[in-house]
């Protein structure tokens, strides 16, 4: 329902852009990390410790930035969704059936309230 809501489009556009970035950055980060570690391994075999340490530090920095971006982005979208749920609650009032022998017809407003809708919550 949040995606169908005609509310602010900026939030949905941000979610879409973050999902696209996540799909592109995840494989790139994995490949880059793997290449850096392979390079560090090769430098260690040729006794180039300084270059190997630099590549390991680069790998750690790369994955730290990736994990922090992922966590911050996920937290931001969870907060937006929680705020939307808090401010867009749909409540349906259930009026119990009358026990009198002659049922009293409900007004038009209460008849509309009694209609069942898939996106409403029963209270």
């Amino acid at each position: 329902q949040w995606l169908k809501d005609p509310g602010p489009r900026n939030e949905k556009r941000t979610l879409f852009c973050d999902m696209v970035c996540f799909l592109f950055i995840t494989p790139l980060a994995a490949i880059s990390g793997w290449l850096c570690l392979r390079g560090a391994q090769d430098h260690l075999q040729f006794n180039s410790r300084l270059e190997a340490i630099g590549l390991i530090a680069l790998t750690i920095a790369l994955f730290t930035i990736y994990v922090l971006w992922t966590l911050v982005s996920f937290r931001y979208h969870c907060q937006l969704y929680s705020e939307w749920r808090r401010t867009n609650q749909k409540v349906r009032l259930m009026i119990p059936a009358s026990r009198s022998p002659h049922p009293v017809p409900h007004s038009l407003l209460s008849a509309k309230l009694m209609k069942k809708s898939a996106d409403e919550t029963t209270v």
Side-chain angles (χ1 to χ4, degrees):
Q1 284 186 355
W2 180 72
L3 293 174
K4 293 178 185 177
D5 186 26
R9 299 270 182 218
N10 189 30
E11 296 171 358
K12 293 174 194 80
R13 184 173 44 240
T14 304
L15 175 65
F16 177 73
C17 290
D18 282 347
M19 287 173 41
V20 168
C21 288
F22 181 78
L23 291 175
F24 281 118
I25 291 174
T26 299
L28 289 175
I31 291 169
S32 298
W34 181 76
L35 287 173
C36 285
L37 291 177
R38 289 287 300 177
Q41 184 182 14
D42 290 343
H43 282 292
L44 282 175
Q45 288 178 353
F46 297 121
N47 294 327
S48 303
R49 287 187 182 264
L50 189 58
E51 288 88 354
I53 291 171
L55 286 171
I56 292 171
L58 180 64
T59 304
I60 292 170
L62 174 74
F63 282 118
T64 302
I65 291 168
Y66 171 76
V67 167
L68 287 176
W69 173 79
T70 303
L71 291 175
V72 167
S73 179
F74 184 73
R75 183 171 181 243
Y76 171 74
H77 292 295
C78 286
Q79 285 177 345
L80 283 180
Y81 178 69
S82 295
E83 178 68 20
W84 177 83
R85 279 188 53 197
R86 189 177 61 78
T87 58
N88 291 292
Q89 295 180 3
K90 294 194 178 189
V91 178
R92 185 172 56 134
L93 182 60
M94 299 292 291
I95 301 173
S98 175
R99 294 186 181 191
S100 66
H102 303 293
V104 178
H106 295 291
S107 69
L108 181 61
L109 178 62
S110 63
K112 284 184 180 179
L113 287 175
M114 298 217 16
K115 282 187 176 178
K116 183 161 175 109
S117 177
D119 61 340
E120 295 177 341
T121 304
T122 304
V123 177

